[in-house]
Amino acid sequence: MRLTFSKLDTYSKCPLRFRIRYQERLPEAPRGRLNLSLILHQTLESFLYNARRDSSLETLLRAYENRCGPPQTPTQEMRFEEGRRALETFHWREGHRLATAVALEQRFTVRTESLEVTGRLDCALETEAGLELIDFKFTSQLPEDPDPLQLQLYAWGLQEVTGSTPDTLTYYYLRQEQRVSFPGGEAAIQEGKREAVRVAEYLQGDYSFFPKAGPWCFTCSYHRYCPKQRERPDPIPQLMVQPRLPL
């Protein structure tokens, strides 16, 4: 079975959303014109690639402006400034070590006997305490209890592509200007493997795909099909229903 972290996470939170999105292939609602999270990821990627030559704040902000283009509406102007502030704070806190970035946007594939996990790293940075794996986030709210599974799987991926095992695993929440870190090392990688295999085994044998309500419902595009959201949900469009597909 081939999965990404996004698929594992979606199924763990709500099997029905997983079924509609990945098996019936009904797309999520499109996002707004200015996808700030994607723009920030692309900005940091292009900037960090060249940080050994030039890691100045001016270069970072120029890369951001080139990605965004000039804002056209007050809403876009507000979002533009929000992203700019996040990058300024990030540079102020991390600028002294940006030139140490490795594994930038590195794709990886890792395998067990029953599972293949693919993904793409954001970056890893050298610190006085060792190698730190970082995944950038631009969520509207800081999770109350962040799950380290993504970082554990990406640590496995980093080990696979570079031979190095990160000592620290960090979610970097750009909007909130906060870091949430977990211990790295081989123990974290093995914990992530076990959890991924456990979720995949449940998925493989699941033919009911019951919905589960939670904070993720706020961003879900499939309320009309969900019995947790409607007393009489709509049927999933028949044109979209397909036989179960290999994952």
Side-chain angles (χ1 to χ4, degrees):
M1 177 182 290
R2 178 181 296 175
L3 294 169
T4 62
F5 169 74
S6 293
K7 290 181 178 180
L8 286 165
D9 186 55
T10 300
Y11 177 77
S12 295
K13 290 174 178 175
C14 181
L16 179 63
R17 187 175 187 177
F18 176 91
R19 177 201 162 191
I20 297 172
R21 177 68 184 89
Y22 294 112
Q23 292 192 336
E24 314 300 357
R25 301 195 176 186
L26 184 64
E28 300 267 8
R31 298 185 179 184
R33 180 180 176 186
L34 184 61
N35 186 342
L36 194 53
S37 177
L38 177 60
I39 289 172
L40 289 172
H41 271 87
Q42 292 175 340
T43 297
L44 288 169
E45 175 189 359
S46 63
F47 172 75
L48 291 172
Y49 265 121
N50 299 298
R52 293 184 187 275
R53 296 199 312 268
D54 183 359
S55 59
S56 66
L57 175 61
E58 292 76 13
T59 299
L60 174 61
L61 295 180
R62 190 181 311 119
Y64 174 61
E65 291 166 0
N66 290 339
R67 290 283 178 183
C68 283
Q72 301 296 320
T73 67
T75 298
Q76 289 184 7
E77 178 70 32
M78 180 181 66
R79 296 279 282 168
F80 175 84
E81 291 300 327
E82 184 180 16
R84 182 185 177 93
R85 288 193 301 271
L87 291 174
E88 288 174 339
T89 302
F90 169 75
H91 191 277
W92 177 73
R93 290 184 172 181
E94 308 294 340
H96 63 286
R97 60 190 183 115
L98 294 180
T100 70
V102 297
L104 293 166
E105 296 296 321
Q106 179 71 57
R107 295 184 181 275
F108 67 85
T109 300
V110 288
R111 298 175 178 87
T112 67
E113 291 183 1
S114 60
L115 176 64
E116 180 176 291
V117 178
T118 63
R120 188 166 68 174
L121 308 170
D122 278 351
C123 75
L125 296 177
E126 294 286 353
T127 72
E128 294 180 357
L131 189 62
E132 180 179 19
L133 175 66
I134 295 179
D135 191 77
F136 297 112
K137 303 291 185 186
F138 200 74
T139 55
S140 58
Q141 293 183 334
L142 190 69
E144 292 184 5
D145 187 21
D147 185 350
L149 179 59
Q150 181 180 9
L151 290 169
Q152 291 167 343
L153 294 178
Y154 283 28
W156 184 16
L158 179 67
Q159 186 184 69
E160 179 71 18
V161 298
T162 69
S164 299
T165 302
D167 303 283
T168 306
L169 313 177
T170 297
Y171 291 125
Y172 200 111
Y173 294 92
L174 291 162
R175 176 178 274 167
Q176 292 82 11
E177 302 173 7
Q178 291 191 37
R179 305 157 54 93
V180 177
S181 296
F182 303 88
E186 189 62 33
I189 292 174
Q190 294 303 320
E191 181 180 342
K193 286 183 185 180
R194 289 192 295 270
E195 178 62 13
V197 169
R198 185 190 69 82
V199 175
E201 287 176 348
Y202 273 109
L203 169 58
Q204 186 70 21
D206 191 350
Y207 289 87
S208 57
F209 293 96
F210 290 122
K212 289 195 294 188
W216 46 86
C217 294
F218 179 74
T219 60
C220 182
S221 302
Y222 307 126
H223 287 188
R224 62 186 297 183
Y225 310 115
C226 180
K228 294 287 187 181
Q229 301 296 327
R230 289 189 174 187
E231 185 176 348
R232 295 182 178 180
D234 293 347
I236 298 172
Q238 290 299 305
L239 289 178
M240 305 305 298
V241 175
Q242 304 175 24
R244 287 179 63 107
L245 299 171
L247 299 170

